[in-house]
């Protein structure tokens, strides 16, 4: 069965408005990190602080302008009692501008935590080079659950280009899991063509609308002449790579959230908070007049 990852808002908008039902039927139902964070802040954190959700103004820093639309489209999730998960979405480029205008330095900004008692006192990151990593998590989980295989290192193999990569699991000389990472519209369009021809052999695809992932999002800080700041990107990749990895399943905070907030793994509350549904729609009505 094919599952297409849905955390890139650019990709989701393209799938919903242009490709329609044949593709949205395969979109993974897990909510995006922005949507989950909205519920975490306005539901879990609000209750911890004895605040009603509307007393909290939640600002998200995002890599692209599509994330603003995502916040609007999500509307008012029932669990948040009339409040939006995100009240304001600013791109990192906008934050940089505000800080420059206010002559603020990053060093002046204290990093805070949602969790009162610091069970984990260091900043850690998930697996992956930047906005990727979901593929590696699902791949390890599927290998263990379906084939009882422990995968330590997930090895990516670049195919057509560095933004189209493949990960496979072999057992007894046979490929039993075949996952792909497809970033950027050139690779997405190739994927759609192959899907339509029934020649797409993957079980799971991590799809990101931007080539290179979210670090190349249009809302990221740019050079004064309006281009992607490649030197800054390399610097960010380097800083990110130096942050220690902690897998979600070994995080004390994640365990705590499942127990105290989501009422257990696979509970009705976890399904409501972490998953979304799609309206059954045929190929988008505006499909012919949208140019991507
Ligand atoms: S920056 Fe690009 S890859 Fe990331 S969410 Fe936005 S559109 Fe998707």
């Amino acid at each position: 069965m094919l599952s297409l990852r849905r955390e890139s808002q650019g990709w989701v908008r393209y799938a919903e408005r242009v490709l329609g039902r044949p593709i949205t039927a395969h979109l993974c139902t897990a909510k995006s990190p922005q949507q989950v964070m909205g519920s975490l802040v306005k539901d879990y954190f609000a209750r911890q602080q004895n605040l009603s959700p509307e007393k909290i103004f939640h600002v998200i820093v995002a890599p692209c302008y599509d994330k603003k639309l995502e916040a609007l489209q999500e509307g008012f999730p029932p669990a948040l009692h009339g409040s939006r998960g995100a009240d304001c979405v600013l791109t990192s480029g906008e934050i940089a501008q505000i800080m420059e205008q206010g002559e603020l330095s990053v060093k002046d900004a204290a990093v805070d935590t949602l969790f009162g008692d610091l069970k984990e006192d260091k900043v850690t990151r998930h697996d992956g080079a930047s906005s990727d990593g979901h593929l590696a998590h699902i791949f390890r989980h599927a290998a263990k659950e379906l084939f009882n295989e422990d995968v330590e290192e997930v090895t990516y193999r670049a195919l057509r280009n560095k933004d189209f990569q493949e990960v496979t699991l072999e057992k007894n000389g046979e490929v039993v899991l075949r996952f792909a990472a497809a970033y950027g519209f050139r690779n997405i369009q190739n994927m759609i063509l192959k899907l339509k021809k029934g020649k797409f052999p993957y079980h799971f695809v991590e799809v990101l609308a931007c080539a290179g992932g979210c670090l190349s999002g249009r809302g990221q800080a740019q050079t004064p002449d309006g281009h992607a700041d490649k030197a800054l990107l390399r610097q960010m990749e380097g800083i990110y790579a130096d942050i220690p990895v902690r897998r979600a399943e070994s995080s004390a905070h994640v365990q705590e959230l499942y127990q105290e907030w989501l009422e257990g793994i696979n509970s009705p509350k976890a399904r409501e908070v972490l998953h979304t549904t799609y309206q059954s729609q045929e190929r988008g009505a505006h499909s012919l007049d949208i140019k991507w």
Side-chain angles (χ1 to χ4, degrees):
M1 185 186 145
L2 171 67
S3 176
L4 300 167
R5 181 68 189 128
R6 58 138 286 145
E7 72 199 7
S8 167
Q9 183 59 15
W11 153 239
V12 171
R13 281 207 327 126
Y14 177 61
E16 284 183 331
R17 298 192 59 189
V18 180
L19 304 171
R21 176 75 193 155
I23 297 302
T24 55
H26 294 288
L27 284 182
C28 171
T29 61
K31 284 188 180 174
S32 73
Q34 176 171 308
Q35 291 168 332
V36 174
M37 197 65 188
S39 297
L40 182 63
V41 169
K42 292 289 188 88
D43 185 17
Y44 177 75
F45 180 66
R47 274 194 271 150
Q48 268 200 329
Q49 302 297 315
N50 268 330
L51 290 168
S52 60
E54 68 273 15
K55 294 277 183 213
I56 297 175
F57 192 80
H58 183 205
V59 181
I60 299 254
V61 182
C64 65
Y65 297 93
D66 284 329
K67 289 288 183 187
K68 294 176 189 262
L69 275 179
E70 178 185 320
L72 284 176
Q73 280 172 345
E74 206 206 359
F76 301 92
L80 305 188
H81 313 292
S83 181
R84 282 189 196 282
D87 297 294
C88 174
V89 178
L90 294 172
T91 65
S92 49
E94 288 170 330
I95 291 282
Q97 260 181 0
I98 292 168
M99 292 182 81
E100 272 166 27
Q101 283 163 6
E103 295 181 5
L104 293 168
S105 138
V106 175
K107 292 191 186 101
D108 299 334
V111 177
D112 212 340
T113 172
L114 277 179
F115 302 93
D117 54 332
L118 276 176
K119 287 195 176 67
E120 294 162 7
D121 57 356
K122 273 198 300 215
V123 174
T124 54
R125 66 177 174 91
H126 59 70
D127 221 346
S130 59
S131 51
D132 58 324
H134 196 79
L135 181 154
H137 180 75
I138 301 286
F139 187 81
R140 281 199 190 92
H141 187 72
K144 184 68 185 169
E145 287 293 309
L146 300 174
F147 304 102
N148 200 27
E149 294 282 336
D150 291 302
V151 177
E152 276 309 311
E153 275 301 307
V154 176
T155 309
Y156 290 78
R157 193 162 63 94
L159 296 180
R160 301 172 70 95
N161 51 63
K162 69 178 175 42
D163 282 317
F164 192 93
Q165 300 188 72
E166 181 181 86
V167 176
T168 54
L169 178 73
E170 288 190 24
K171 206 158 179 180
N172 305 324
E174 192 193 334
V175 174
V176 288
L177 281 181
R178 195 183 289 276
F179 283 21
Y183 304 158
F185 272 96
R186 189 166 50 125
N187 289 316
I188 293 174
Q189 277 164 344
N190 277 329
M191 174 184 85
I192 302 298
L193 274 179
K194 286 189 178 159
L195 264 173
K196 283 182 177 164
K197 289 182 185 162
K199 291 184 178 166
F200 197 68
Y202 296 100
H203 300 109
F204 177 94
V205 192
E206 181 172 77
V207 187
L208 295 173
C210 299
C214 291
L215 280 181
S216 312
R218 294 303 300 266
Q220 299 280 28
Q222 296 179 332
T223 54
D225 57 351
H227 292 101
D229 190 334
K230 291 198 175 139
L232 182 62
L233 278 181
R234 298 291 86 80
Q235 204 186 343
M236 287 196 289
E237 281 169 353
I239 292 169
Y240 189 71
D242 285 343
I243 298 173
V245 173
R246 176 176 281 131
R247 292 189 192 154
E249 57 272 29
S250 64
S251 161
H253 282 145
V254 172
Q255 307 300 335
E256 177 186 314
L257 287 173
Y258 268 108
Q259 292 316 315
E260 292 184 11
W261 178 39
L262 299 173
E263 299 160 9
I265 294 169
N266 283 332
S267 67
K269 168 105 180 172
R271 282 197 290 279
E272 181 198 321
V273 171
L274 303 181
H275 292 269
T276 187
T277 53
Y278 296 95
Q279 289 176 355
S280 258
Q281 56 185 26
E282 297 308 320
R283 194 177 145 92
H286 308 294
S287 59
L288 297 177
D289 53 42
I290 295 176
K291 299 274 184 282
W292 292 83

